[in-house]
Each structure stands twice: as structure tokens, then as C-alpha cells.
Amino acid sequence: MTLTNKTAIITGGAGGIGRATVHRYVRDGAKVLVADLDLAAAQSVVNEVEADGHAGTAVAHAVDVSDFSQVEQMVQAAVDAFGGVDVIFNNAGIAGGKPLLEHDIEADYHRMIRIDQDGVYYGILAAGRQMAKQGRGGVIINTSSVYGLDAAELSFTYSAAKAAVISFTRSAAYELAEHGIRSVAITPGRVATPIINQFSDELKQTFAAEQMRGRLTDPDEIADVVAFLGSDESRVINGTVVNVEDGYSVFKQRLELPEF
Ligand SMILES: NC(=O)c1ccc[n+]([C@@H]2O[C@H](COP(=O)([O-])OP(=O)(O)OC[C@H]3O[C@@H](n4cnc5c(N)ncnc54)[C@H](O)[C@@H]3O)[C@@H](O)[C@H]2O)c1
């Protein structure tokens, strides 16, 4: 198994992409701190892991990633539970937004920046310090979005935060290379999690049509990539963005054109 003897922190571990990644990591041999604002939901994921026959491999932990002291405590909790941190998946985030001119600055800008942007910075900083202290390298994986590369509907703040995540990823790779720590961002497109599932069937079909296979991405498909990125097999991937968006960025829409 590619993640045997690795310990990982997965933030947003109770949500769609995070939960799928917890299951994949445990199946691949890792020990996982399932960190989420929603402790009861994180505990349910741990219960699922145990019901799957992997007792003792996952621990639930309550964290608000927008609070640095809580993020430091989260890292310490992983050290206490499993003896160290080899991988952190900075994945917790919120989505949504309003048209720019209708923004309430606190609600529609600062709150999201604190979670989607500051939360990733805090995870990089706290886990990076721990990994450097351990002296055995490590991997930092950060969830950006296709919206971190594009302007999009109702996405002024979200796009800014997700663009910052890409910048953090590059700079962290540069700064932490001397400690053998890698840093990689992923950009999901349209993934079937509560963020997307809340919309009407019609809108979901439109989202699906934006991807090459004409379907929403399953969270397990993101987890497969995150498992590879956390493993030593991806050791030459560093400081870059791995697009996990099923071709979203390479076309606009399929048109039925007559031959010409
Ligand atoms: N679903 C998509 O299509 C999509 C596309 C691109 C990027 N993303 C990103 O993927 C990541 C995971 O999203 P998801 O689709 O699994 O959504 P989700 O809502 O299912 O999961 C998000 C999880 O983060 C947790 N969370 C929220 N605020 C938190 C905080 N302050 N501290 C700790 N945990 C917190 C939530 O409780 C939830 O469990 C997010 O960063 C999101 O922006 C999702």
C-alpha cells in the first residue's frame, strides 16, 4: 500500500471530498486525523472507517481552520495520536457568494477569506513547522478550484482565495524544499458534494456538461489523485497545480456544428 506508515491530517474531512479521501488514505495504509468544524460528522466518518475493519486508523478532531491556535492544536493532536505528520490535506472550505456590488464586506469577503485563504496558510505554517522539526520530509496538498484560475459567477471572493491557495502552494514548495517538504495544489471542477448537490437537477446537468465526460466528478475520483500526491510515487510533483477537473478548462461547451 502506497501510504503505509504515513500519518495524515485531512481538513474538511467530514465533507464530500475530505470524507472520500479519509477512506482512500486508510485503505492505502495511512493513519488519519479527520479534522472538521463539524465534530459529530467527523466522528461519523471515523465510525465508517471502523465499520470497514480499520479500527484505530482514524481519529476525529474539531477544528476551525480560520483560527491559527486551533490549527496548531490540530497538528499537535495528530502528533499525539500517531507520532507525527507526513501529509496535510488543507481541504476545508466554504463556497458561495453574491454579485460584487451587493457585497457586505464582512459577510461576503472577510469571512470567506478567513476560512478559504487564511485557513490554508495556517495549515501550511503549522504542519510545515512540525514536518521540518521531524526532519523526515512531508507533503502539503491544498484544495484550490478551477475558480482560482478563472473569473466565474458569484465568485469574486472565492476566486481570490483559491488563487491565493495556488500562490501559497508555489511559495511553500520553494521555501520548504530544503526540508524535503513538497507542496501541491489541486483544482477540482464540478464535484458531486453538498456544494454542488444543493442546486437543481437542471443546473447540475449544466455543470456536468462543462466537463469532458459530461458528468459530475465523484469525490472518490479526487481522493484517488490526493492519495497519489501524498505518496512517494509522486515525488517529482512539487510546487504545481494538478488539475482534477475532467477537462473543464480546455473547452467552453460542445456545439453541434454543421461540417464546413
Ligand atoms: N464540490 C466542488 O465542486 C468543488 C470544486 C472546487 C473546489 N472545491 C473545494 O473542495 C473543498 C472541499 O469541498 P467539498 O466539495 O467536499 O465541500 P463540503 O461542503 O462537502 O465539505 C467541506 C467541509 O469543510 C468543513 N469546514 C467548513 N468550514 C470549516 C472551518 N472553518 N474549519 C474546518 N472545517 C470547515 C465543513 O464542515 C465540511 O465538512 C473546499 O475547499 C471547496 O472549496 C469543491
Side-chain angles (χ1 to χ4, degrees):
M1 287 186 285
T2 52
L3 296 169
T4 302
N5 296 327
K6 297 217 186 277
T7 64
I9 297 170
I10 297 179
T11 74
I17 293 172
R19 171 178 167 275
T21 308
V22 170
H23 282 286
R24 175 65 205 249
Y25 266 55
V26 165
R27 281 203 306 278
D28 281 9
K31 297 208 162 59
V32 181
L33 193 80
V34 185
D36 204 287
L37 195 59
D38 186 339
L39 180 61
Q43 187 57 50
S44 301
V45 176
V46 171
N47 295 345
E48 291 168 8
V49 164
E50 295 192 346
D52 281 350
H54 299 288
T57 58
V59 171
H61 184 84
V63 67
D64 179 347
V65 297
S66 69
D67 178 336
F68 183 58
S69 65
Q70 290 193 36
V71 174
E72 284 184 303
Q73 286 162 21
M74 170 185 78
V75 170
Q76 189 56 48
V79 173
D80 293 344
F82 305 127
V85 181
D86 298 300
V87 179
I88 184 165
F89 182 28
N90 291 308
N91 167 73
I94 56 169
K98 279 204 201 117
L100 173 61
L101 300 183
E102 294 169 25
H103 269 203
D104 172 276
I105 292 172
E106 172 54 30
D108 300 313
Y109 182 76
H110 289 301
R111 177 168 175 270
M112 181 174 274
I113 292 292
R114 281 197 294 269
I115 298 169
D116 288 6
Q117 179 170 325
D118 298 353
V120 173
Y121 163 57
Y122 296 156
I124 292 169
L125 184 58
R129 283 176 174 162
Q130 175 61 30
M131 289 170 181
K133 192 166 85 179
Q134 290 168 188
R136 59 179 200 236
V139 188
I140 296 167
I141 305 163
N142 302 315
T143 304
S144 177
S145 164
V146 288
Y147 283 15
L149 302 164
D150 287 332
E153 56 282 353
L154 306 182
S155 188
F156 188 89
T157 309
Y158 187 77
S159 289
K162 294 300 185 182
V165 168
I166 292 172
S167 180
F168 291 161
T169 300
R170 293 190 184 116
S171 298
Y174 182 76
E175 294 221 22
L176 303 179
E178 65 181 287
H179 299 285
I181 300 168
R182 292 190 290 123
S183 166
V184 186
I186 59 164
T187 54
R190 306 294 195 184
V191 189
T193 74
I195 287 179
I196 293 288
N197 290 337
Q198 65 183 301
F199 293 112
S200 68
D201 286 348
E202 192 187 359
L203 205 43
K204 280 191 277 191
Q205 271 171 18
T206 305
F207 288 150
E210 293 175 320
Q211 307 196 135
M212 285 288 183
R213 294 177 300 166
R215 56 188 285 273
L216 298 176
T217 305
D218 192 280
D220 290 341
E221 296 175 301
I222 306 291
D224 289 344
V225 178
V226 178
F228 170 63
L229 293 175
S231 77
D232 295 340
E233 290 171 349
S234 65
R235 60 194 169 277
V236 295
I237 300 177
N238 196 5
T240 194
V241 177
V242 175
N243 290 332
V244 285
E245 34 76 307
D246 194 3
Y248 171 100
S249 60
V250 301
F251 77 117
K252 284 196 187 302
Q253 67 184 105
R254 285 187 192 278
L255 297 175
E256 293 300 326
L257 278 192
E259 286 187 24
F260 70 108

